[in-house]
Amino acid sequence: MPIRQLSETMINQIAAGEVIERPASVVKELVENALDAGASKVEVVTAGGGLNLIRVTDDGSGIPEHELSLAIARHCTSKLAEDIHDIRSLGFRGEALPSIGSVSRLSIRSRTALGDSAAEIGIEGGRILPIRPAAANRGTTVEVRDLFFATPARLKFMKGERAESSAISDVVKRIAIAFPAVRFTLAGSDRSTLELPATDESAEGSLRRVPQVMGAEFPDNSIPIDAMREGVHLTGHVSIPSFTRANALQQYAYVNGRPVRDKLIAGAIRGAFADVLPRDRHAVTVLFLTLDPATVDVNVHPAKADVRFRDPGLVRGLIVGAIRQALGDAGIRSATTGAAGMMAAFRPGAASYGHGAPANGHRSYEASYHASGSAGFDPARSSQRPLDMQFDGAGFEHRGLREPDQAAFDAGPLASADARAGQSEAAETLLGAVLGAARAQVHENYIVAQTRDSLVIVDQHAAHERLVYEALKNALHSRPVPSQMLLLPEIIDLPEEDAERLAMHSETLARFGLGIERFGPGAVAVRETPSMLGETNVGQLVRDLADEIADNDTVETLKERLDKIAATMACHGSVRSGRLLKPEEMNALLRQMEATPGSGTCNHGRPTYIELKLADIERLFGRR
C-alpha cells in the first residue's frame, strides 16, 4: 500500500482516541478552557452520563468571532508562547476542541466583553458548519451532543450512565479544589445538582472549599503541610493516621495548580504513611506542589494527567519528609469519627457486630476477648480473672476479690466518691494532659483515663507496640545498621545502568548494612547484608533496589524492610494483652504516648485510643 497523507478528520479522530477517552475527559478539557479564559463562574450540565449532552458555560473573556474558526483548528491555541518549557496555563496543546468535534456534534457560542453580539460555530463529526450570529451573555458556552456518534466502536467501551456521571463529578471536584475563588455548578437530568460556592484564593479559602468536596469531617481530622526545599514548595492538608479511606480516590494532588494523578506523588504518600496505616487503608490528602515550570514536564501525555519532574528524588523526599514531620509535630490526635462510632454503639438498640451470645445470655471472657481480635491473651497466665467468669446463672458472688476490695465493693458509691476525693494533687494535674489521668484498667487490656472534658480508652498493647517500634526505629537509623559478612561474595548480574546506579548509592546502602561494589561493567558484588534480615534473597533485594533507584532515585526498599522487621520485634516485645498494670505504669504509658509521634495508631494502623467528649456522654443520657 502506498504512503498517503491522512485526512484532517482522520487525524483528529486518532487524536481523540488519546485526548477524549470518556465523557469526563470532555468535561475536563472544557472546564480547563473556561478557567484559562479567566472565568469566575463555571456551569456544567450533562445528560445520559455525558454521552447525550455536555454543556459548559462560563463568564470568561470569550472568543472573538474572527477566531472561532481557529479555535476548532488543530494545534491552534492562545495559551502557549514560544517557550514550550514555560507552561503556566491548564491547556496548551490546541487539540481538545478539534478532537471533540471529530467524534460528536459540537457547537461553540461566545461573546467577548467588547462585542456587540455573540457568534456560534458548529462541527458534526469533523464537518465544520458556517459561523452564524447568536444571542449570548459575555463568556462562552460549549455544547457537546451525541458523543462518539462518529466512532461507534468507542461507545462499546463506555460504562453505565451512573459510572460516567460519577467520573464527571470527580473531575469537577478535583478542579474545583484548586480554584476556590471560582463558583462551580454541576447539574443535569442524570444527577443531583452540585453547588460549590466561591470562597477566596487564600489558604483558608482553599480549606473552606475542601469540605464542600471531601466532606465536613476532613478539616477536623487533618494536619496542615507547608514545606519548601530547593525551590519546590509543598502546601496542603493530610489526614491524621486514624482517619482513613478504603481507597485512594480522595488523594488529590496538584502541580502548579494542575490536577494530576502521578505515580511518584502517590508512591510518596504511601511511603510517608507506610508504618502508620493498615495495608488496606489509605490517607486522605490535598497537596499542592509549586515549582518552576521549567523543572516539570506536563507534556508527557495528551490528557495532561501525568507529569515528569527534573529531580524526582527531590520531590519525593520533600513529600515524604514534610508529611512525616507534620505527623510528628501534630502530636497525638484521635479521629472525630471514632467518638461518633462509639456513640452509635452505646445508643439503645444499636446493632451488635459481635458473635451471638450463649443460650444463658452470657459469654465467657475468653470468647469475648478473642472475638474482639486482641492477640496474646492467655487466661491461664492472668493474675486476675474478671468477675463475669464466676457467673453461673444462679447467682452472683464476688469471688476473686481480696478483703479490702470486697469491703470497698460492698460500701458502694459512697466509698468510690471518698476514694476520688482522696486523690493526690499530682494526679489531678494530669487531667489537663492530652490523655488525662489513668483511672482504671478493664478487661486487662484497656486503660480508662479521664481528662477535664472527656473520657479516653487506650488499648495498652497497641499503644506500647507503637512506643517500642518508634524507639527501635530511632536506634536503627541513628547509627549504621549492623551487618554480617558473607562467606563468599554474591555476584549479581545487572544491566550496566542499574549497576552504575547502585554504585552511586553505595555509601547510603552501607549505612543500612548492605555492602556492594562494582564487579565489572554489568554486575555488582554483595559482600555484606544487614544482620537483621537474616537469610534473605540477596539477588532479589538488589534488583528491587535498582528498580526503585531508577524510578525514584531513592533506596527506601531496604529501609522499609528493616522497618518491617523492627515492627515485628515491637509487636512481640511490647506489653501483652492480659497483663495487669499498676496506676503508675498506666500513667507512664499515657505520658510516653503524648511524647511519641504517631502514637495515635499502632504499627498495623489500628487506633491506640478513642476519646469521648463529656458533652457526647451527656447526650447519651439525655442531659443535652
Side-chain angles (χ1 to χ4, degrees):
M1 181 181 293
I3 299 174
R4 60 187 180 89
Q5 175 72 43
L6 295 177
S7 67
E8 189 68 20
T9 299
M10 182 69 71
I11 293 172
N12 287 334
Q13 288 180 344
I14 293 173
E18 293 182 313
V19 180
I20 310 303
E21 299 176 353
R22 61 193 304 188
S25 305
V26 175
V27 173
K28 174 181 178 293
E29 297 291 342
L30 298 183
V31 171
E32 286 181 351
N33 284 345
L35 294 172
D36 285 338
S40 61
K41 298 178 183 177
V42 178
E43 179 182 348
V44 181
V45 177
T46 64
L51 293 171
N52 298 338
L53 169 68
I54 296 174
R55 183 189 303 121
V56 177
T57 305
D58 67 71
D59 61 350
S61 58
I63 305 173
E65 180 178 345
H66 66 277
E67 292 184 0
L68 281 175
S69 57
L70 284 176
I72 59 174
R74 187 170 172 81
H75 300 315
C76 293
T77 181
S78 62
K79 306 169 187 178
L80 190 63
E82 297 299 324
D83 189 1
I84 187 66
H85 302 295
D86 189 21
I87 298 174
R88 300 180 182 272
S89 58
L90 296 175
F92 59 89
R93 296 174 61 95
E95 288 184 316
L97 291 177
S99 296
I100 296 170
S102 68
V103 295
S104 69
R105 293 182 172 90
L106 170 71
S107 67
I108 305 173
R109 185 167 61 252
S110 188
R111 177 181 177 181
T112 62
L114 301 178
D116 296 331
S117 62
E120 182 177 4
I121 191 172
I123 316 177
E124 289 190 1
R127 183 172 61 89
I128 301 176
L129 305 178
I131 298 175
R132 60 180 184 271
N137 296 324
R138 175 196 169 186
T140 303
T141 298
V142 181
E143 188 171 282
V144 180
R145 292 186 177 274
D146 302 328
L147 184 61
F148 298 128
F149 89 94
T151 54
R154 177 58 64 92
L155 288 173
K156 299 177 182 179
F157 296 92
M158 293 299 104
K159 298 181 180 179
E161 179 179 311
R162 178 171 296 183
E164 298 299 339
S165 297
S166 178
I168 292 174
S169 299
D170 182 64
V171 164
V172 173
K173 290 176 180 179
R174 284 184 180 273
I175 298 176
I177 289 178
F179 296 87
V182 179
R183 179 178 182 269
F184 289 87
T185 303
L186 178 59
S189 59
D190 55 351
R191 68 178 66 252
S192 57
T193 301
L194 172 67
E195 293 274 358
L196 299 175
T199 58
D200 56 74
E201 294 284 2
S202 65
E204 292 77 11
S206 178
L207 188 58
R208 284 195 293 272
R209 168 58 60 82
V210 168
Q212 299 172 4
V213 174
M214 304 174 66
E217 295 175 339
F218 180 68
D220 294 333
N221 294 281
S222 66
I223 304 169
I225 301 289
D226 193 344
M228 179 173 283
R229 183 185 300 176
E230 299 181 26
V232 183
H233 191 198
L234 176 68
T235 59
H237 287 75
V238 299
S239 61
I240 60 177
S242 52
F243 185 83
T244 60
R245 290 289 183 267
N247 54 48
L249 293 180
Q250 286 202 330
Q251 290 182 356
Y252 298 88
Y254 303 85
V255 176
N256 290 340
R258 180 188 306 280
V260 298
R261 294 179 180 271
D262 187 70
K263 293 181 180 179
L264 183 143
I265 296 176
I269 294 172
R270 285 196 304 272
F273 284 92
D275 59 356
V276 295
L277 294 185
R279 288 185 177 274
D280 58 343
R281 304 297 294 181
H282 300 267
V284 182
T285 63
V286 181
L287 296 177
F288 298 89
L289 277 168
T290 305
L291 65 165
D292 184 349
T295 62
V296 58
D297 184 6
V298 299
N299 192 26
V300 177
H301 188 274
K304 304 184 294 293
D306 296 327
V307 295
R308 293 293 182 272
F309 298 99
R310 179 181 295 176
D311 190 346
L314 169 64
V315 174
R316 189 183 192 282
L318 174 63
I319 295 174
V320 174
I323 293 177
R324 289 182 176 174
Q325 179 69 32
L327 292 174
D329 294 344
I332 185 167
R333 288 175 57 182
S334 63
T336 58
T337 52
M342 194 173 179
M343 288 272 294
F346 273 125
R347 286 193 181 97
S352 173
Y353 296 95
H355 300 285
N360 62 5
H362 298 274
R363 300 169 63 192
S364 70
Y365 181 73
E366 291 90 343
S368 301
Y369 206 84
H370 288 299
S372 69
S374 298
F377 174 71
D378 183 358
R381 296 200 309 268
S382 178
S383 59
Q384 177 178 323
R385 306 295 290 275
L387 297 177
D388 64 352
M389 292 181 66
Q390 305 297 332
F391 186 79
D392 56 7
F396 188 81
E397 298 178 359
H398 310 305
R399 302 178 211 170
L401 293 174
R402 299 183 298 274
E403 280 192 32
D405 298 328
Q406 183 69 58
F409 185 91
D410 293 336
L414 291 178
S416 299
D418 292 340
R420 287 198 304 272
Q423 289 175 337
S424 66
E425 293 183 3
E428 287 298 325
T429 60
L430 295 179
L431 296 178
V434 175
L435 297 180
R439 295 305 191 199
Q441 181 188 24
V442 296
H443 289 300
E444 298 177 314
N445 187 63
Y446 299 101
I447 298 172
V448 180
Q450 174 189 348
T451 70
R452 298 194 191 282
D453 63 349
S454 65
L455 173 74
V456 178
I457 302 177
V458 178
D459 184 331
Q460 69 184 38
H461 172 68
H464 195 250
E465 184 179 357
R466 166 60 66 176
L467 300 180
V468 175
Y469 176 48
E470 292 298 329
L472 284 172
K473 277 203 307 181
N474 291 336
L476 186 64
H477 302 308
S478 61
R479 59 181 182 273
V481 175
S483 61
Q484 58 184 2
M485 183 75 70
L486 298 181
L487 185 61
L488 294 175
E490 186 159 344
I491 310 302
I492 300 169
D493 294 322
L494 295 167
E496 187 171 350
E497 57 272 18
D498 284 348
E500 181 65 28
R501 294 189 189 103
L502 287 168
M504 291 175 60
H505 288 77
S506 59
E507 292 186 7
T508 303
L509 294 172
R511 286 184 50 250
F512 291 109
L514 185 65
I516 65 171
E517 59 185 40
R518 289 296 296 269
F519 193 81
V524 295
V526 179
R527 300 188 180 277
E528 296 176 318
T529 61
S531 56
M532 290 179 62
L533 293 181
E535 293 187 13
T536 185
N537 187 335
V538 178
Q540 187 61 49
L541 173 61
V542 170
R543 291 185 180 91
D544 289 345
L545 286 169
D547 291 341
E548 183 184 357
I549 294 172
D551 289 339
N552 305 317
D553 197 31
T554 63
V555 291
E556 289 293 312
T557 295
L558 182 55
K559 180 177 178 294
E560 289 173 0
R561 291 198 183 189
L562 297 177
D563 285 347
K564 185 176 181 180
I565 294 172
T568 304
M569 294 169 62
C571 184
H572 292 286
S574 57
V575 174
R576 306 304 298 171
S577 302
R579 173 182 166 184
L580 281 175
L581 298 179
K582 297 178 182 178
E584 295 81 3
E585 293 176 314
M586 290 188 284
N587 278 312
L589 182 63
L590 299 181
R591 302 292 79 79
Q592 290 180 44
M593 289 177 64
E594 293 167 351
T596 302
S599 59
T601 59
C602 73
N603 309 343
H604 312 292
R606 294 189 295 267
T608 57
Y609 77 99
I610 296 175
E611 183 177 16
L612 189 62
K613 293 296 184 182
L614 181 60
D616 294 331
I617 299 175
E618 290 175 341
R619 276 194 290 270
L620 285 172
F621 287 95
R623 291 178 175 268
R624 289 198 176 194

